[in-house]
Amino acid sequence: MRLALFQPDIPQNTGTLLRLGACLDVELDIIEPCGYIFSEKTLKRAGMDYLHLVKYRRHKSWEHFLQYRAEHPDEYGRIVLLTTHATEPYYNFKFQPNDIILMGRESAGVPEEVHHTADARLLIPMNENARSINVAVSAVMVVGECLRQTGGFPSAAK
């Protein structure tokens, strides 16, 4: 599985998710433009000393991401968008090992074009009076479920 961040706004969230990727052997795709200057310095605080362990790829646009995905069908499977505009809870979804969990911008989610491109749209059920859960926390919940279902967690050190 892969985790894709659509035009992330907050470097701390990106750094946290890069660290998650390093710890769980999950590759990330950063779909630009970002809402900050993407550099090791901006990500270092949240990513700490884990950034050298993570595999990630930067894409200069949504279109370039889609093109790269089409050129690498063994690595890039279904696009599974996590959104508050979905009706299917993430825990009812049957994940596949090469799924791409797509996270929207912290400030605006994703545009309609991206919604329509997604193969599945999932939500995290929550209190109806709340607007949303932090993007990094949301990603952790769904990535954990995907890895549980697919047996994709790294082997524990002996």
Side-chain angles (χ1 to χ4, degrees), residues 89-140:
Y90 75 97
Y91 48 76
N92 287 343
F93 188 73
K94 176 71 173 137
F95 289 98
Q96 297 174 2
N98 66 344
D99 281 342
I100 305 160
I101 308 301
L102 177 62
M103 308 302 296
R105 294 182 73 164
E106 292 92 341
S107 63
V110 298
E112 284 301 311
E113 167 195 354
V114 176
H115 268 275
H116 295 303
T117 303
D119 299 295
R121 287 166 290 289
L122 307 177
L123 66 81
I124 298 172
M126 61 183 186
N127 181 323
E128 64 184 36
N129 296 314
R131 188 181 62 229
S132 65
I133 300 172
N134 172 278
V135 70
V137 174
S138 298
V140 168

Side-chain angles (χ1 to χ4, degrees), residues 24-95:
L24 297 181
D25 293 332
V26 172
E27 294 186 27
L28 277 84
D29 291 277
I30 312 295
I31 303 164
E32 299 188 33
C34 296
Y36 54 89
I37 297 171
F38 189 98
S39 69
E40 187 171 320
K41 182 179 179 184
T42 59
L43 301 173
K44 191 167 178 119
R45 184 170 182 201
M48 298 175 60
D49 59 346
Y50 291 82
L51 294 180
H52 71 283
L53 296 174
V54 67
K55 293 179 184 173
Y56 69 92
R57 177 169 282 104
R58 292 171 65 181
H59 305 273
K60 58 184 175 179
S61 69
W62 175 246
E63 292 75 21
H64 284 95
F65 169 76
L66 292 177
Q67 180 180 349
Y68 192 87
R69 174 184 175 234
E71 293 169 356
H72 298 85
D74 293 341
E75 295 176 51
Y76 289 77
R78 301 177 300 180
I79 296 175
V80 179
L81 175 63
L82 192 59
T83 174
T84 58
H85 300 289
T87 57
E88 182 175 4
Y90 75 97
Y91 48 76
N92 287 343
F93 188 73
K94 176 71 173 137
F95 289 98

Side-chain angles (χ1 to χ4, degrees), residues 8-25:
D9 292 325
I10 302 173
Q12 294 86 346
N13 285 333
T14 303
T16 297
L17 292 172
L18 288 166
R19 184 175 179 176
L20 174 76
C23 292
L24 297 181
D25 293 332

